[in-house]
Amino acid sequence: MALSDTLSTLRKEKGLSQTQVAAFLCENGSPLTQKGISKWECGDTTPNAEQFLLLCDLYEVRDVLSVFLHKPSDEARLNALGQSRAAEYRALLLANEAFCRQIEPTLPLYDMDTAYAAAALAKGAAGELVSAASAPEGATQVLRIRGESMTPLFEDGQLVYLQACETLSMGDFGVFYLNGRLCCKLYMAAAGTELVSVNEKFPPIRIQENDDFHIVGKVIL
């Protein structure tokens, strides 16, 4: 079966529409329209590596060679009873730390000075994964600061940890989505919302009614 036919079959088996698949890809940082999904399933184009992996995740494909290249794995050679026993044994192994690899925790990293990062972080889409071994408790993302507005507290290029949230308290340091860009500022909301820089050379930003603005997360100090 051709790749296009397999993709179409997997989608239909999950009861998903092409529009739903496109929405899933967009939510996970790989924007595509319904027409793009249709072209894949017609064989006119093919997904790139990132899109292919996202599709495997969505369609719950674990044995890629068996599904797409029709090369039966050892597990595929087992009947229903054999697969059930194998699953039981796998569960026992996974429940015992002596048989499990220690997987280093990771967090998504975004660069504050890119338009993609602004859109991706604002929507919770995937970013480059970096080690979270030294991350403080509660951290959900990592942001690379750009510019001098937050010096000397945060230097240009410094990494800071964020905790995703929708509200902040007065005086919290936060990351904000403002008119298509990301910024890291001190949150002040006494008489209207103001974003204040640590570096006094940069004036406060007063949020206006027509601004496209929302809170992305709190900086964990």
Side-chain angles (χ1 to χ4, degrees), residues 171-190:
D172 283 341
F173 286 99
V175 171
F176 309 92
Y177 179 87
L178 178 60
N179 298 327
R181 306 292 294 182
L182 293 176
C183 60
C184 177
K185 303 290 180 185
L186 182 68
Y187 180 75
M188 304 297 288

Side-chain angles (χ1 to χ4, degrees), residues 56-220:
C56 287
D57 184 34
L58 177 62
Y59 299 150
E60 297 182 327
V61 173
R62 300 294 176 261
D63 189 350
V64 174
L65 293 180
S66 176
V67 172
F68 289 96
L69 297 183
H70 313 294
K71 294 183 177 180
S73 63
D74 290 340
E75 185 171 348
R77 294 170 59 190
L78 297 174
N79 61 20
L81 178 59
Q83 291 184 10
S84 175
R85 294 290 174 83
E88 291 173 3
Y89 188 56
R90 185 184 297 111
L92 290 173
L93 292 174
L94 290 173
N96 190 327
E97 291 185 1
F99 298 105
C100 296
R101 288 184 295 178
Q102 297 301 313
I103 300 176
E104 183 179 20
T106 58
L107 287 173
L109 167 67
Y110 305 89
D111 193 310
M112 191 173 78
D113 201 29
T114 66
Y116 168 78
L121 184 52
K123 296 178 180 179
E128 174 191 354
L129 294 179
V130 296
S131 172
S134 59
E137 184 178 354
T140 55
Q141 296 121 344
V142 186
L143 181 70
R144 188 181 302 279
I145 299 295
R146 294 299 184 185
E148 301 178 350
S149 67
M150 298 302 285
T151 58
L153 182 61
F154 304 131
E155 301 292 339
D156 180 42
Q158 180 178 340
L159 299 182
V160 298
Y161 292 100
L162 309 181
Q163 183 177 50
C165 62
E166 297 180 354
T167 61
L168 292 172
S169 299
M170 179 85 77
D172 283 341
F173 286 99
V175 171
F176 309 92
Y177 179 87
L178 178 60
N179 298 327
R181 306 292 294 182
L182 293 176
C183 60
C184 177
K185 303 290 180 185
L186 182 68
Y187 180 75
M188 304 297 288
T193 300
E194 277 194 343
L195 308 182
V196 181
S197 300
V198 172
N199 188 338
E200 295 180 354
K201 293 181 180 179
F202 293 81
I205 301 172
R206 167 86 55 168
I207 302 303
Q208 305 299 323
E209 185 177 352
N210 61 343
D211 282 331
D212 184 5
F213 168 80
H214 66 262
I215 297 168
V216 173
K218 177 181 178 180
V219 177
I220 304 178

